[in-house]
């Protein structure tokens, strides 16, 4: 991602900022998958189907039924929304509004996550985007 960012340094304006969203998206996804694997929180449907305990986590499980925390969709959505919002401040609130709607649809409509999973995913995505923006700004890429 950093090599792509340094190569894109010569580009000017919006296309560069949009292309730089790709490594931010990938970095947020990697962080999210590591957290899912390490935490091993059961999905709500797993609890309902098998009458299990909501606190019975299985860390280091490869089964997707134990990958509820944090929400990957919320993480990805917020990583892109925060990145683009920092690069294009005029569109910041509209982008964040879309991110709120998309993130919470995972909790309200589809219910594969708990509310805390969605909030944690949004936090991870936003944090990765802010760190990436800060690092690339110090290197004069953005």
């Amino acid at each position: 991602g950093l090599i792509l960012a340094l190569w894109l340094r010569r580009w000017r304006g919006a296309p560069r900022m949009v292309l730089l969203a790709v490594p931010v998206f990938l970095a947020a996804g990697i962080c999210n998958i590591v957290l899912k694997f390490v935490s091993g929180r059961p999905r709500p449907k797993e609890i309902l189907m098998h009458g299990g305990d909501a606190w019975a986590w299985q860390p280091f499980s490869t089964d997707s039924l134990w990958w509820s925390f944090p929400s990957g969709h919320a993480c990805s959505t917020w990583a892109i929304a925060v990145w683009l919002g920092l690069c294009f401040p005029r569109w910041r609130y509209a982008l964040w509004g879309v991110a709120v709607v998309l993130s919470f649809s995972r909790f309200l409509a589809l219910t594969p996550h708990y509310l805390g999973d969605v909030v944690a995913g949004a936090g991870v995505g936003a944090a990765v985007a802010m760190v990436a923006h800060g690092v690339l700004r110090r290197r004069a890429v953005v």
Side-chain angles (χ1 to χ4, degrees):
L2 184 59
I3 294 170
L4 175 65
L6 293 174
W7 179 73
L8 289 172
R9 186 177 187 173
R10 8 182 228 136
W11 286 23
R12 298 280 182 236
R16 178 176 65 170
M17 297 307 152
V18 173
L19 283 175
L20 283 172
V22 173
V24 170
F25 175 81
L26 294 174
I30 290 169
C31 290
N32 191 56
I33 288 172
V34 168
L35 286 172
K36 282 178 178 291
F37 182 69
V38 170
S39 69
R41 184 174 190 180
R43 293 188 181 270
K45 68 179 177 181
E46 175 68 15
I47 300 297
L48 293 174
M49 287 172 52
H50 297 100
D53 182 13
W55 296 103
W57 295 26
Q58 287 190 2
F60 308 108
S61 174
T62 57
D63 187 356
S64 67
L65 292 175
W66 298 95
W67 281 27
S68 182
F69 178 86
S71 168
H73 287 82
C75 178
S76 301
T77 301
W78 277 95
I80 296 300
V82 169
W83 172 261
L84 292 176
L86 291 170
C87 293
F88 307 107
R90 292 178 59 194
W91 294 95
R92 173 181 0 191
Y93 297 113
L95 290 164
W96 294 350
V98 169
V100 166
V101 170
L102 290 175
S103 296
F104 284 98
S105 72
R106 300 293 295 169
F107 168 67
L108 297 173
L110 302 173
T111 64
H113 292 289
Y114 297 100
L115 179 59
D117 301 340
V118 174
V119 172
V124 169
V128 168
M130 287 188 287
V131 167
H133 191 268
V135 167
L136 294 177
R137 191 159 81 191
R138 277 194 300 277
R139 293 182 178 260
V141 176
V142 294

